[in-house]
Amino acid sequence: MTSADAATDGRAAALLAHTRTAVTPGLRAAVDSLPGRLGRVAAYHFGWEHPDGSPAEGPPGKAIRPALVLAAARALGGDPAPAVRAAVAVELVHNFTLLHDDILDQDATRRNRPTAWAVFGTADALIAGDAVLALAARLLAEDDHPAAPAASARLAACVMELCAGQQADCAFEERAPDAITLDECLTMATAKTGALLGCSCALGALCAGADPAEVAALDAFGREAGLAFQLIDDLIGIWGDPERTGKPAGADLVARKKSLPVVAALTSGTPAAAELAALYARPVLDEPAVRRAAGLVERAGGRAWAQEQAADRMGRAVHQLSVAVPDLEAAGDLLALAEFVTRRTR
Amino acid sequence: MTSADAATDGRAAALLAHTRTAVTPGLRAAVDSLPGRLGRVAAYHFGWEHPDGSPAEGPPGKAIRPALVLAAARALGGDPAPAVRAAVAVELVHNFTLLHDDILDQDATRRNRPTAWAVFGTADALIAGDAVLALAARLLAEDDHPAAPAASARLAACVMELCAGQQADCAFEERAPDAITLDECLTMATAKTGALLGCSCALGALCAGADPAEVAALDAFGREAGLAFQLIDDLIGIWGDPERTGKPAGADLVARKKSLPVVAALTSGTPAAAELAALYARPVLDEPAVRRAAGLVERAGGRAWAQEQAADRMGRAVHQLSVAVPDLEAAGDLLALAEFVTRRTR
């Protein structure tokens, strides 16, 4: 990491800490308003309680989406205070997706703790997810900020896109690896990862009274940065994290995930693609097979493609940001957050 | 059925048919806007498509909730046209609950067709339910009617109550039958059945520009009528339907459902209560045991209590309606719908 990177990361870390301080009281009050058992399930999921309801200090969520809301409001010259409610709403929507995705993927752990469904059962976790989504909608509907109806509509549309992304992701699991096009894969990643980052920026802009063109540019900024993040995360899922302890190298290959670099390789029409498809058709991949698969993704051009795409998407993100916020000083926080998310798992 | 009942039912049937004509185009357009596969799952669930996507003419939903929205708007002197969007939204929310409840209850059929999860799998049905809920929120958020923000907030709060009701219902399954209090059971039934009927009436009132007291009275009308419906439905679940072919007698007892008359009997402190608890503790109830259980619910006072409660709740519903809509002519449609729902499964 260069010293410039370290400075950016320091700025982002400070922003995230500041955001958690600003947003957590509203988030906890909202979750406390959930009826009975559903409040318990949600408080556990957020890391504030143990399964028995006693207080816990679990690792808090990073609050990247709320930080984008507040930073976007500030970048457009708005007071971030009225944007706090929107920041709470996007964090609720993010956690609604986590509650349901963990059920669908049968993931048993999240942030080093058993997932909500693993502790409370599928029914309670599913219903708690529904209630958390309704809570987000309610928060914005009860807001008397002039931008609240537009923010509500945008967040609801974003949830529909998140659902489409999750559905596509689940469907990919069932399909032959070489039957998925790169376009489908990019659309899925944009819907699943980019949409809520874009919506967070757009909601902040709306709270600052931005005009439609500025709102659209900030949405595009968040989406492109989100896609850059996903591409880099996918590269790490194959080649590991050179700087931090995180995902082990090859984790996505062991799970035979149809990630972006893999689909780029499989659809390359190269001899390596055919060899990779044959490997992916095996029921289990052992250690040497995983190493071979990583080499095939690289030879088929999947690694280079993903690296170029990630850089290209970050370039587009920065361009979109410069359209809406020409002043580099004002745009600084959003840039730092975008650079942080694309580097955070490295 | 008396001739007065027949006249009321005729009026209600005409209202429901009229409502379906008014609401279906907006409902279909909304569902068509769902992305990709999710639109397919929802169109199947609504009965408009076969699993392969070809057009179907499944039995349509009764449209009771949309009819309440439109009738409430008319009863308060409003134009029903601007209420159509709210009517579509409540029908979407109702179907979101059906999609998720069918998964949670593992029900394989609904309206004589396989349920969505049984056809498309749990993942697609769960995500389609999420998307249908977001669609309802989006419709109201995009509405420029002056009452739309209040309607949005009210519908979101109602969804949270529906979730609480469904959670309580699932939790009852796990608890000993005599550990559930009648109050808990009434709260659950109000949340699961009364809340959305009340919200439908309240949304219609809001669209007509009603004042808060009128909105509250119409909400209470719908809730009380909903609870009366649930009580009568529970009686039919034990003693069957004397007039129509519908639920067979004893169906709820075979499933050892902790319905309102059963819980009233179990918590009566009578010798029959103890005998009923022992029967409910058995793994399977055969035909003679079901008949004995029905006799015990009656001897423990559960049948009489439920009948009195149902009459009492309908009385309260009519009183609440008379507060907001003193003119009997104007209130006629809402009364006809309330009487229809409490009679519809008999």
Side-chain angles (χ1 to χ4, degrees), chain B residues 175-210:
Chain B
R175 285 165 64 185
D178 49 0
I180 297 166
T181 69
L182 199 47
D183 263 1
E184 285 179 311
C185 205
L186 282 165
T187 301
M188 184 275 280
T190 302
K192 220 186 139 167
T193 308
L196 190 53
L197 295 186
C199 183
S200 299
C201 297
L203 261 52
L206 282 169
C207 291

Side-chain angles (χ1 to χ4, degrees), chain B residues 230-245:
Chain B
Q230 190 56 60
L231 285 153
I232 290 165
D233 201 47
D234 284 355
L235 287 166
I236 291 164
I238 300 174
W239 287 281
D241 175 347
E243 291 185 18
R244 300 186 201 177
T245 56

Side-chain angles (χ1 to χ4, degrees), chain A residues 141-226:
Chain A
E142 287 177 346
D143 194 354
D144 54 9
H145 191 284
S152 288
R154 206 158 184 119
L155 190 60
C158 174
V159 171
M160 289 168 63
E161 192 175 352
L162 291 169
C163 289
Q166 176 63 13
Q167 195 281 324
D169 198 15
C170 290
F172 285 0
E173 303 264 317
E174 313 290 321
R175 285 165 64 186
D178 48 0
I180 297 166
T181 69
L182 200 47
D183 262 1
E184 286 179 311
C185 207
L186 282 165
T187 301
M188 185 276 280
T190 302
K192 222 186 139 169
T193 308
L196 190 53
L197 296 185
C199 183
S200 299
C201 297
L203 260 53
L206 281 169
C207 291
D211 66 38
E214 290 169 326
V215 174
L218 274 184
D219 190 308
F221 160 74
R223 279 176 182 268
E224 298 290 356

Side-chain angles (χ1 to χ4, degrees), chain B:
Chain B
M1 193 187 275
T2 67
S3 65
D5 286 351
T8 306
D9 271 11
R11 183 172 186 167
L15 275 170
L16 292 171
H18 178 82
T19 300
R20 285 194 292 271
T21 305
V23 169
T24 302
L27 192 59
R28 291 202 74 151
V31 169
D32 279 347
S33 77
L34 286 169
R37 178 91 171 166
L38 300 176
R40 282 275 304 281
V41 177
Y44 171 81
H45 167 79
F46 276 98
W48 304 326
E49 289 185 6
H50 293 294
D52 66 1
S54 60
E57 300 237 6
K62 291 189 196 70
I64 286 163
R65 292 157 193 82
L68 287 172
V69 177
L70 301 186
R74 265 195 313 272
L76 285 155
D79 174 5
V84 168
R85 195 185 274 248
V88 171
V90 297
E91 191 66 0
L92 289 170
V93 165
H94 175 53
N95 282 282
F96 141 74
T97 67
L98 299 181
L99 281 160
H100 282 191
D101 290 1
D102 284 343
I103 295 170
L104 294 169
D105 303 337
Q106 290 286 293
D107 280 334
T109 55
R110 170 169 300 281
R111 297 181 201 135
N112 300 313
R113 303 162 81 220
T115 44
W117 72 264
V119 173
F120 295 96
T122 299
D124 280 1
L126 194 162
I127 303 167
D130 292 342
V132 166
L133 174 57
L135 183 55
R138 182 180 184 174
L139 269 188
L140 288 185
E142 287 178 346
D143 193 354
D144 54 9
H145 191 285
S152 288
R154 206 159 184 118
L155 190 61
C158 175
V159 172
M160 289 168 64
E161 192 175 352
L162 292 169
C163 290
Q166 176 64 13
Q167 195 281 325
D169 198 15
C170 290
F172 285 180
E173 304 264 315
E174 312 291 319
R175 285 165 64 185
D178 49 0
I180 297 166
T181 69
L182 199 47
D183 263 1
E184 285 179 311
C185 205
L186 282 165
T187 301
M188 184 275 280
T190 302
K192 220 186 139 167
T193 308
L196 190 53
L197 295 186
C199 183
S200 299
C201 297
L203 261 52
L206 282 169
C207 291
D211 66 38
E214 291 169 326
V215 174
L218 275 186
D219 191 309
F221 159 75
R223 280 178 180 266
E224 297 290 358
L227 203 52
F229 156 65
Q230 190 56 60
L231 285 153
I232 290 165
D233 201 47
D234 284 355
L235 287 166
I236 291 164
I238 300 174
W239 287 281
D241 175 347
E243 291 185 18
R244 300 186 201 177
T245 56
K247 270 189 184 176
D252 283 358
L253 297 174
V254 172
R256 273 167 309 155
K257 235 185 106 177
K258 289 136 195 172
S259 66
L260 286 159
V262 169
V263 173
L266 286 166
T267 55
S268 64
T270 59
E275 225 182 301
L276 181 62
L279 264 185
Y280 254 51
R282 287 195 192 168
V284 180
L285 294 189
D286 59 11
E287 178 87 34
V290 165
R291 272 200 303 276
R292 227 178 90 216
L296 289 167
V297 174
E298 181 148 18
R299 266 165 47 211
R303 185 177 197 170
W305 173 85
Q307 285 168 334
E308 280 160 30
Q309 272 283 320
D312 178 50
R313 298 291 176 164
M314 268 306 275
R316 292 196 215 182
V318 172
H319 170 70
Q320 291 287 350
L321 183 58
S322 72
V323 169
V325 190
D327 179 57
L328 200 63
E329 177 62 32
D333 285 354
L334 284 170
L335 274 178
L337 288 169
E339 287 175 20
F340 176 80
V341 294
T342 55
R343 204 162 42 231
R344 73 183 165 97
T345 43
R346 231 188 12 215

Side-chain angles (χ1 to χ4, degrees), chain A residues 8-216:
Chain A
T8 305
D9 272 10
R11 182 172 186 167
L15 276 170
L16 292 171
H18 178 83
T19 300
R20 284 194 293 269
T21 305
V23 168
T24 303
L27 192 59
R28 291 202 72 151
V31 169
D32 279 348
S33 77
L34 286 169
R37 178 91 171 166
L38 301 176
R40 283 274 303 281
V41 177
Y44 170 81
H45 167 80
F46 277 98
W48 304 325
E49 289 185 6
H50 293 294
D52 66 1
S54 60
E57 301 238 6
K62 290 190 197 68
I64 285 162
R65 291 156 194 83
L68 287 171
V69 177
L70 302 185
R74 264 195 314 271
L76 284 155
D79 175 5
V84 167
R85 194 185 275 248
V88 171
V90 298
E91 191 66 1
L92 288 171
V93 165
H94 175 54
N95 282 281
F96 140 75
T97 66
L98 299 181
L99 281 161
H100 281 191
D101 290 1
D102 285 342
I103 294 170
L104 294 169
D105 302 337
Q106 290 287 291
D107 279 335
T109 53
R110 171 170 298 282
R111 296 182 200 132
N112 300 315
R113 303 163 81 219
T115 44
W117 72 264
V119 173
F120 295 95
T122 299
D124 280 1
L126 193 163
I127 303 167
D130 292 342
V132 167
L133 174 57
L135 184 56
R138 183 181 184 174
L139 269 188
L140 288 186
E142 287 177 346
D143 194 354
D144 54 9
H145 191 284
S152 288
R154 206 158 184 119
L155 190 60
C158 174
V159 171
M160 289 168 63
E161 192 175 352
L162 291 169
C163 289
Q166 176 63 13
Q167 195 281 324
D169 198 15
C170 290
F172 285 0
E173 303 264 317
E174 313 290 321
R175 285 165 64 186
D178 48 0
I180 297 166
T181 69
L182 200 47
D183 262 1
E184 286 179 311
C185 207
L186 282 165
T187 301
M188 185 276 280
T190 302
K192 222 186 139 169
T193 308
L196 190 53
L197 296 185
C199 183
S200 299
C201 297
L203 260 53
L206 281 169
C207 291
D211 66 38
E214 290 169 326
V215 174

